[in-house]
Amino acid sequence: GEAEAGPRRLRAAAMAGFVRELERRAGPALRLEQRVAGGVGCVVWDAALVLAKFLETGAYPLARRRVLELGAGTGAVGIMAATLGANVTVTDLEELQELLMVNIENNKHLVTGSLRAKVLKWGEDVTEFQPPPDYILMADCIYYEESLEPLLKTLKDLTGPDTCVLCCYEQRTMGKNPEIERKYFELLQRDFELERIPLDRHDEEYRSEDIHIVSIHRKRAVGP
């Protein structure tokens, strides 16, 4: 999708500087620091922008809901949810906590819910994140084959029957990406129901043919 106008516009801004502004429908823009020297999780990826702006459409009510973001990176999606009134925990590895803290601090005056950062390593114990949140947010979390099993374990451990997982990802056609993506959705469908959110429900400006949002719920236990 590099050649299309939409993704290119989003991507150009992500690579430019250290601070990325993400405008909001109501009120001042979010200011998101990035770490250009780093790799994954250090810039605001397109899927994070698309998911953050989708939350603003109000399709899913967030006020006073408990929200957990996995693989938060810069925290863009979770921070947006907190400006929409959600009580948010953004999670990522230890080495991203400092960046998350900076971005929480930069945007705390816009938060109408609550916002905190915590370490969560996929596949490990999630007791401290119980009871299950109302929403789990994920943007571009599928790119390493070795992280699929731990990620799925974490999703199973974290979700209750009413948890809605919103997963946004950019469809990548290079190398092993299609294979990893296929495997992820195959494994996911053992325990979860998936529903793709049509493109016309995404934010009218922050959308792209190759960026998908999927709503995911635990499969209902079938009675005897």
Side-chain angles (χ1 to χ4, degrees), residues 38 61 91 101 115 119 122 144 151 153 170 209-210 219:
T91 69
M101 294 302 206
L115 184 57
V119 176
W122 299 344
Y144 292 134
L151 175 56
K153 179 186 188 314
E170 183 169 348
E209 294 288 346
D210 58 0
K219 282 186 174 166

Side-chain angles (χ1 to χ4, degrees), residues 184-202:
Y184 169 73
F185 285 110
E186 216 168 83
L187 291 170
L188 199 59
Q189 283 172 23
R190 290 180 192 170
D191 300 282
F192 295 90
E193 307 273 358
L194 280 59
E195 185 192 346
R196 183 175 289 195
I197 294 168
L199 194 64
D200 62 19
R201 286 179 57 196
H202 297 198

Side-chain angles (χ1 to χ4, degrees), residues 40-96:
V40 173
C42 301
V43 296
V44 185
W45 296 99
D46 294 351
L49 298 175
V50 169
L51 184 54
K53 295 298 285 184
F54 172 70
L55 296 179
E56 273 197 309
T57 66
Y60 289 83
L62 291 174
R64 294 182 297 285
R65 299 296 205 280
R66 289 180 59 248
V67 171
L68 184 75
E69 186 182 3
L70 294 179
T74 63
V77 179
I79 293 169
M80 181 68 93
T83 70
L84 297 166
N87 297 318
V88 180
T89 305
V90 287
T91 69
D92 211 316
L93 300 173
E94 183 66 61
E95 54 265 31
L96 284 157

Side-chain angles (χ1 to χ4, degrees), residues 15-36:
M15 302 319 290
F18 284 91
V19 174
R20 161 85 215 225
E21 288 212 337
L22 177 56
E23 58 272 13
R24 292 187 307 140
R25 295 180 175 210
L30 299 182
R31 289 181 57 76
L32 301 159
E33 284 209 22
Q34 313 184 105
R35 298 281 184 267
V36 174

Side-chain angles (χ1 to χ4, degrees), residues 75 78-79 82 86-90 103-104 107-108 111 113-117:
I79 293 169
N87 297 318
V88 180
T89 305
V90 287
N103 283 332
I104 287 173
N107 296 286
K108 66 170 197 267
V111 168
S114 63
L115 184 57
R116 60 179 185 159

